[in-house]
Amino acid sequence: MDELERDLLDLAAIGGAGESGGVTRVAWSEGLLAAYAWLARQGAAIGVDPAIDTAGNAFLRWPAGDGPALLIGSHLDTVPHGGRFDGALGVLSGLDVIRTLRRDGFAPRCPVWLTAFMDEEGTRFGTALFGSRAFAGADLSGLAERRDAAGVTLREAMQARGFDFDAIPAAAQLDRVRGYLELHIEQGPVLEHSGDDVGIVTSIVGLVGLHVRLEGQANHAGTTPMTLRRDALAGGARAVLELRELARRTAGVTANVGVISVEPGGKNVVPGACELTVDIRSADPGVYGTLDATARGLLERIAREEALELTVSELYRLEPVPLDTTIIDAFERAAELEGATARRMPSGAGHDAQILAPHVPAGMLFVPSRGGISHNPAEYTTPGQCAIGSRVLARAVTLLAGA
Ligand code: HGY
Ligand code: MN
Ligand code: MN
C-alpha cells in the first residue's frame, strides 16, 4: 500500500465513520478538528509546520524560497454520510506531493503551502466555502447567527472549539499567495467513460443556494375539505417538481432540493409549514444571471396558487468562474511528462478554487470517480488513479515553483 492510500484510509477512520460506511465530518465538529490534528502530525513527521488560522483553515507551510506561496488545497469537511475522497483526496495528495518533493530534494523558489479550508460543503450552517471565502477576505460578518439543526449558532460552534467569530477577518491572507492548485475527484462519469487519467478543469459552475419557508395552516387531516386546505408540503412538493422541470428544460442547468422538513409533522395533521433548500446551478454566466429570479418567480407563483406565505433567504451565491490558462497549460504539460492522458473539462461541482480564482491564478485537476458517484459512501477512486493524480500535481508544482 502506498503512503497516499494509507493516509486516505487513516483519515477516513477519523470523525464519524458511521454504520453506513460513510464519513461525516461537518464544520467545527470534534471529528473535523481531530482530522486537523492528524494532518498536523503528518506535517510534523515530514518537517513541515502546522498552523490553523482564525477561520479554522488548517495549514502546513513549507517555508522555501521567497515571495508569495504556491498554495495547494481542498477540504476535510464532508456532506452527511459522504465518501472518503471528496476534499480529502485534494488535501492528502497535497501532503503526498510535499512529502515526495522534500524527499527528492526539490528546492522550490517560493514557499509551498498546503491548506484544508474550513467548511467547503456548508453541511452544518449553509455556509459553503466558508474558509476559502475568509482567506480571500470576504465579509462573513452576517453569518454569525446562522443556526445548525440543533439550534447552535455559528458563533457558538466556533467558540466551542476555541475560535472567535469576530477574529475571522485576520484569516484574509490571499496577498501571501501567488497561485492555487486543487486536485479533486471528478464526482461525475466523464473521465471513467473517456478512460483519461486526469481532467484539467477549465471553469467552475455558478451556484445559488436558497432557504425556502412556505407557511399554510396546520389543521385536522380528516375534517378539513381538500379544497380548503393550505397544505405547505403540497406547495413544497410542487416546488421540487417544478424546479426539476425548469432544470430539465434549460441546457446545463441543475436544480436540487436536498433538505426538506414539515411542521408540525403529524400523520393526521395538514402540514402547516414546509422548509426546503434549493441548490440551482449553471456554468453559463448568462444563464446563471437569470437563475435566482427564475427560481424565486416559480416559488412565488406556487405560493400564490396554494395560498401559502413564502419567505426566501439566500444561503450562498457563487459566480461561475474560468480557471487560469497558465495553470491549465502547466497541468497539461505535467500530465504529458508523467505519461498520463488528460482532457479539459468544466466542473459541475463547487470548489474552493472558485473563491480564489478571481484573485489569484487557480487551477484544478480531476481524477476519475467510479460510477460517477460522489456525496455517497460508495465514492471511490482506485489507489492507482489517486497516485497518477498526485504525480501530475507534484510535477505541476515543480513546473510552477521550480527554479
Ligand atoms: O456542492 C458542491 O458542489 C461541492 O461538492 N461542495
Ligand atoms: Mn462535496
Ligand atoms: Mn469537494
Side-chain angles (χ1 to χ4, degrees):
M1 188 182 300
D2 66 27
E3 289 165 302
L4 176 55
E5 187 184 358
R6 191 206 57 214
D7 286 348
L8 280 160
L9 289 169
D10 286 353
L11 180 65
I14 298 174
E19 281 165 21
S20 63
V23 181
T24 304
R25 278 191 304 260
V26 299
W28 310 104
S29 64
E30 201 179 330
L32 183 58
L33 274 289
Y36 281 9
W38 176 90
L39 181 67
R41 288 197 298 278
Q42 308 313 306
I46 58 170
V48 182
D49 286 340
I52 300 181
D53 72 13
T54 54
N57 299 312
F59 287 90
L60 296 180
R61 294 195 175 104
W62 179 0
D66 40 48
L70 181 62
L71 179 65
I72 307 170
S74 198
H75 60 99
L76 293 179
D77 68 301
T78 70
V79 296
H81 305 287
R84 62 187 177 90
F85 295 86
D86 178 358
L89 181 61
V91 175
L92 296 189
S93 58
L95 175 67
D96 197 48
V97 165
I98 292 177
R99 182 166 52 210
T100 306
L101 293 181
R102 285 172 67 84
R103 195 178 285 156
D104 292 351
F106 172 68
R109 70 182 160 89
C110 62
V112 178
W113 292 357
L114 172 66
T115 189
F117 283 121
M118 170 56 75
D119 195 12
E120 190 271 351
E121 300 285 7
T123 298
R124 185 171 173 191
F125 293 103
T127 45
L129 302 153
F130 175 89
S132 49
R133 285 192 283 161
F135 188 73
D139 177 8
L140 302 181
S141 57
L143 302 179
E145 304 308 318
R146 286 266 178 108
R147 288 179 192 277
D148 69 7
V152 177
T153 65
L154 174 54
R155 182 189 290 281
E156 290 163 349
M158 289 181 66
Q159 207 163 26
R161 301 285 165 223
F163 291 82
D164 174 6
F165 183 89
D166 296 324
I168 290 171
Q173 298 267 313
L174 201 52
D175 56 342
R176 299 181 64 191
V177 164
R178 70 177 63 220
Y180 177 70
L181 305 180
E182 180 167 357
L183 180 149
H184 205 280
I185 53 167
E186 181 201 331
Q187 308 182 277
V190 173
L191 292 173
E192 187 173 76
H193 283 182
S194 73
D196 288 302
D197 296 317
V198 293
I200 297 169
V201 181
T202 50
S203 63
I204 302 180
V205 75
L207 302 75
V208 176
L210 303 174
H211 178 269
V212 178
R213 182 173 171 86
L214 291 160
E215 276 182 71
Q217 186 168 50
N219 210 335
H220 195 289
T223 60
T224 317
M226 291 309 289
T227 49
L228 297 182
R229 295 176 189 227
R230 294 174 60 218
D231 179 339
L233 178 57
R238 282 189 59 188
V240 171
L241 295 177
E242 292 200 23
L243 284 164
R244 184 174 74 163
E245 283 318 302
L246 166 74
R248 283 179 170 173
R249 276 199 315 271
T250 325
V253 171
T254 60
N256 190 63
V257 174
V259 179
I260 190 160
S261 63
V262 169
E263 297 165 22
K267 283 186 284 300
N268 55 355
V269 185
V270 175
C274 173
E275 295 196 356
L276 50 96
T277 59
V278 175
D279 176 299
I280 186 160
R281 307 182 181 204
S282 171
D284 178 323
V287 177
Y288 171 81
T290 66
L291 289 181
D292 188 39
T294 309
R296 284 176 195 255
L298 177 154
L299 292 164
E300 278 160 16
R301 179 176 46 74
I302 292 170
R304 213 167 37 243
E305 289 170 2
E306 298 287 336
L308 304 171
E309 303 295 326
L310 172 71
T311 317
V312 181
S313 51
E314 183 179 294
L315 290 174
Y316 44 86
R317 166 183 297 276
L318 299 151
E319 306 283 324
V321 290
L323 294 183
D324 182 72
T325 51
T326 307
I327 295 184
I328 290 172
D329 291 345
F331 275 140
E332 223 150 49
R333 178 82 184 119
E336 201 177 292
L337 291 168
E338 289 299 325
T341 56
R343 69 184 288 123
R344 294 185 179 207
M345 61 188 295
S347 171
H351 295 289
D352 292 305
Q354 80 194 98
I355 300 301
L356 274 61
H359 309 286
V360 295
M364 288 196 74
L365 191 65
F366 279 171
V367 293
S369 293
R370 184 172 71 189
I373 300 287
S374 183
H375 286 183
N376 183 314
E379 205 170 71
Y380 188 67
T381 301
T382 68
Q385 290 169 325
C386 293
I388 293 175
S390 181
R391 275 192 356 243
V392 174
L393 181 64
R395 183 68 80 155
V397 171
T398 65
L399 294 174
L400 294 164

